[in-house]
Amino acid sequence: MRITRRERFSAAHRLFRSDWDDEKNLEVFGKCSNPRWHGHNYVLYVTVEGSVNVDTGFVMNLKSLSHIIKERVIEKLDHKNINLEVDFMKDRLASTENLAIGIWEEIEGPIAEQGVRLHCVRLIETENNFVEYFGPQRDADL
Ligand code: NI
């Protein structure tokens, strides 16, 4: 059984490589490389997998899941600059893909401690763009 919790945050970022000049950054990253930053209202879906506990009827208490996500992810990201202020994104290009990987790494351990397995981090950046990350194991098989 899989259950999902949705959380939201707003954050600023810029896609760029410091070893490329502005022209190359603009060519590869387009408007997202704007040196003056821009923001997104991100929507995050965290899906965990486990069996239903006979005593509670839950796979995992969604309040506990929400608490983990808020403490480990939302408080670090909400109204922040992803490039400059977020510890787990340090030295990482602030793409939606890398952000999903960073979020996975932040919450995987605490979720496992609850006796369930993190299945998917789905991160929606815009109405039209989102990524889904199923962990390093599945990525290695691709
Ligand atoms: Ni962007």
Side-chain angles (χ1 to χ4, degrees):
M1 178 85 77
R2 290 173 187 159
I3 58 168
T4 300
R5 173 76 190 179
R6 181 183 75 148
E7 301 286 347
R8 287 174 288 185
F9 61 92
S10 302
H13 78 157
R14 177 193 176 196
L15 296 182
F16 79 110
R17 295 183 59 106
S18 55
D19 54 338
W20 291 352
D21 60 20
D22 283 351
E23 196 187 348
K24 173 86 173 168
N25 274 303
L26 186 67
E27 182 193 316
V28 174
F29 299 123
K31 282 199 289 190
C32 270
S33 78
N34 174 19
R36 294 291 189 180
W37 317 103
H38 67 278
H40 297 282
N41 295 316
Y42 291 92
V43 185
L44 169 66
Y45 291 88
V46 173
T47 301
V48 303
E49 190 172 59
S51 48
V52 180
N53 181 302
V54 286
D55 296 323
T56 61
F58 293 159
V59 170
M60 178 186 176
N61 190 319
L62 282 170
K63 228 168 142 181
S64 310
L65 182 55
S66 173
H67 180 75
I68 290 168
I69 301 166
K70 281 189 176 133
E71 191 178 73
R72 306 291 300 245
V73 175
I74 306 299
E75 277 178 23
K76 293 179 179 183
L77 283 165
D78 194 32
H79 288 73
K80 298 287 168 59
N81 182 311
I82 295 167
N83 298 68
L84 303 178
E85 297 179 279
V86 180
D87 58 358
F88 65 82
M89 290 302 289
K90 201 172 177 292
D91 302 322
R92 273 184 169 146
L93 213 143
S95 66
T96 318
E97 289 89 333
N98 284 341
L99 193 50
I101 292 171
I103 291 169
W104 177 286
E105 290 170 358
E106 282 297 296
I107 61 176
E108 185 190 19
I111 284 172
E113 280 169 23
Q114 301 287 317
V116 294
R117 203 181 65 82
L118 178 55
H119 170 69
C120 179
V121 168
R122 174 191 286 196
L123 186 59
I124 292 153
E125 189 187 58
T126 69
E127 225 177 298
N128 297 322
N129 300 332
F130 69 92
V131 305
E132 287 175 314
Y133 183 54
F134 297 92
Q137 214 99 29
R138 262 229 9 225
D139 251 27
D141 295 337
L142 297 174

